[in-house]
Amino acid sequence: MAEGTMPMPAQIPTDGDTYQPIVDYIDAQFEAYLQEELKIKRSLFEYHDSRIHACLYFISPTGHSLKSLDLLTMKNLDSKVNIIPLIAKADTISKNDLQTFKSKIMSELSSNGIQIYQLPTDEETAAQANSSINGLLPFAVVGSMDEVKVGKRMVRGRHYPWGILQVENENHCDFVKLRDMLLCTNMENLKEKTHTQHYECYRYQKLQKMGFTDVGPDNQPVSFQENFEAKRQEFYDQCQREEEELKQRFMQRVKEKEATFKEAEKELQDKFEHLKMIQQEEIRKLDEEKKQLEVEIIDFYKMKAASEALQTQLSTDTKKDKHRKK
């Protein structure tokens, strides 16, 4: 397979977005080339060009119309890559049905506005040959890794009960025509069309999306440097605005936090004052109880002293009475 050629699967999942990874991959190669092209010190001659120059889109050999997903996928790819439609496993269709199927496919592609790769016919030397090959689109191909014996030769092909199908026999399939077109006659044309049409389209859309233009508001030519300086100033102004907005939001957040902290501090202070008042009240009550207890102790000792004095007096009087009786 030639470098920069992308084969497409014959069976694609029914999800309508399955073509998006393919589109993203093709755009990624364009983006890599664009970034290299925009460098101050470029090395495009040494740069490994990974852009996709051909997309081999395999179509199931149903013999009927194209699937809606095939049409949708090719419609999203035709502006980004050179599409070469192929009918896979073409040996499963008879020659008459194959020609009808080819015509039906080309009619559907045309009616849906899908642009496929056409060999150039503007050069006199190759005009007739290329017109003949264009008439074979979509190519009917058969592949095989096996070698079978035909006469005294070993050829790549498929062995059936009714005979042998040779992959490289132009009477059996279009594989040789496809190979020659890709590797011999039209490789440079595919690369040129990729660069001058598909890549230029991507480059134009990309730079336009970034805000670059060839003319100013007054329809006067504008240099790339002027565009760059204008975008640079616009970006700088945007950064300044965003920085100011961030500062304002930061200051607002700080004020909100300060207000929250002050409110929490006030709540703690009020709680502290409340607890302090409770403590002072408890201390006052304890002091009163202490004074009351001291008074009670003094009264107790007074009563005790009076009781002891009374007992002493009674004891003395008792002794005197006994002495008198004697």
Side-chain angles (χ1 to χ4, degrees):
M1 179 111 10
E3 179 182 350
T5 303
M6 172 183 279
M8 292 293 299
Q11 298 294 334
I12 303 178
T14 56
D15 186 0
D17 294 333
T18 50
Y19 61 82
Q20 193 59 45
I22 303 172
V23 173
D24 294 341
Y25 180 79
I26 295 173
D27 285 347
Q29 311 317 306
F30 285 153
E31 181 65 24
Y33 190 89
L34 177 62
Q35 292 302 319
E36 181 65 27
E37 193 178 44
L38 293 176
K39 286 182 179 179
I40 297 176
K41 186 177 180 180
R42 301 182 298 177
S43 57
L44 294 178
F45 291 106
E46 300 177 359
Y47 175 74
H48 174 66
D49 189 357
S50 60
R51 291 176 296 177
I52 307 301
H53 302 299
C55 170
L56 304 181
Y57 196 98
F58 288 87
I59 300 170
S60 299
T62 60
H64 306 293
S65 59
L66 287 170
K67 298 177 182 178
S68 59
L69 183 56
D70 290 332
L71 295 172
L72 180 64
T73 301
M74 284 191 276
K75 187 64 179 176
N76 282 275
L77 291 177
D78 65 354
S79 63
K80 297 180 176 295
V81 68
N82 300 313
I83 298 178
I84 303 173
L86 308 177
I87 299 175
K89 300 178 181 179
D91 54 332
T92 60
I93 308 177
S94 67
K95 285 190 175 182
N96 292 334
D97 292 341
L98 183 60
Q99 291 304 320
T100 303
F101 189 36
K102 283 188 174 187
S103 299
K104 188 177 293 186
I105 290 173
M106 294 301 292
S107 176
E108 288 185 352
L109 293 177
S110 177
S111 62
N112 284 277
I114 297 173
Q115 302 295 323
I116 63 173
Y117 177 71
Q118 296 280 339
L119 280 70
T121 58
D122 51 353
E123 297 181 5
E124 295 182 1
T125 56
Q128 186 174 357
N130 285 349
S131 296
S132 176
I133 295 177
N134 283 335
L136 295 175
L137 291 173
F139 293 115
V141 295
V142 178
S144 175
M145 298 298 293
D146 300 328
E147 290 188 347
V148 295
K149 189 174 183 180
V150 177
K152 296 181 179 181
R153 298 183 303 120
M154 296 298 293
V155 297
R156 199 174 299 280
R158 293 177 178 272
H159 193 283
Y160 294 101
W162 44 263
I164 295 175
L165 183 142
Q166 301 176 42
V167 172
E168 297 183 359
N169 189 327
E170 295 186 23
N171 293 321
H172 292 180
C173 70
D174 301 327
F175 176 81
V176 174
K177 290 284 195 303
L178 172 65
R179 182 184 62 189
D180 291 344
M181 184 200 74
L182 289 175
L183 303 180
C184 300
T185 60
N186 289 276
M187 179 182 290
E188 293 304 320
N189 183 261
L190 284 166
K191 291 182 177 180
E192 181 182 357
K193 190 170 183 180
T194 296
H195 183 77
T196 59
Q197 182 174 328
H198 301 304
Y199 170 70
E200 283 299 321
C201 180
Y202 174 84
R203 179 178 177 275
Y204 171 81
Q205 293 175 353
K206 182 72 174 182
L207 293 179
Q208 190 178 50
K209 186 177 180 180
M210 293 170 63
F212 292 97
T213 180
D214 293 331
V215 295
D218 53 356
N219 290 327
Q220 295 297 318
V222 179
S223 67
F224 185 85
Q225 182 178 358
E226 291 175 347
N227 266 319
F228 176 77
E229 290 297 332
K231 296 299 294 182
R232 182 175 178 273
Q233 185 62 40
E234 181 182 346
F235 178 74
Y236 177 77
D237 294 340
Q238 182 180 355
C239 289
Q240 290 293 103
R241 289 194 301 270
E242 291 179 355
E243 182 180 0
E244 187 63 28
E245 290 176 1
L246 286 173
K247 286 182 179 179
Q248 292 295 333
R249 287 201 295 268
F250 176 75
M251 294 302 298
Q252 183 65 26
R253 292 285 297 277
V254 169
K255 290 180 180 179
E256 290 175 358
K257 288 293 183 182
E258 286 181 349
T260 302
F261 290 149
K262 286 181 179 180
E263 184 177 353
E265 182 181 7
K266 184 177 181 302
E267 291 179 358
L268 290 173
Q269 185 66 29
D270 293 342
K271 188 175 182 180
F272 172 76
E273 293 295 333
H274 179 68
L275 293 174
K276 185 177 180 181
M277 291 177 59
I278 294 175
Q279 183 186 29
Q280 290 175 350
E281 182 66 21
E282 293 292 333
I283 291 174
R284 186 185 64 77
K285 290 180 179 180
L286 288 173
D287 288 342
E288 290 179 355
E289 291 178 357
K290 181 180 178 182
K291 290 178 181 178
Q292 182 66 28
L293 183 60
E294 288 176 348
V295 171
E296 291 178 355
I297 291 172
I298 292 172
D299 292 341
F300 172 77
Y301 280 115
K302 286 181 179 180
M303 290 175 63
K304 181 180 179 182
S307 175
E308 289 176 349
L310 181 59
Q311 287 180 358
T312 303
Q313 183 64 35
L314 289 174
S315 178
T316 302
D317 292 342
T318 303
K319 288 179 180 181
K320 287 181 179 180
D321 290 340
K322 286 181 179 181
H323 184 70
R324 287 193 195 102
K325 288 178 179 180
K326 287 180 179 180

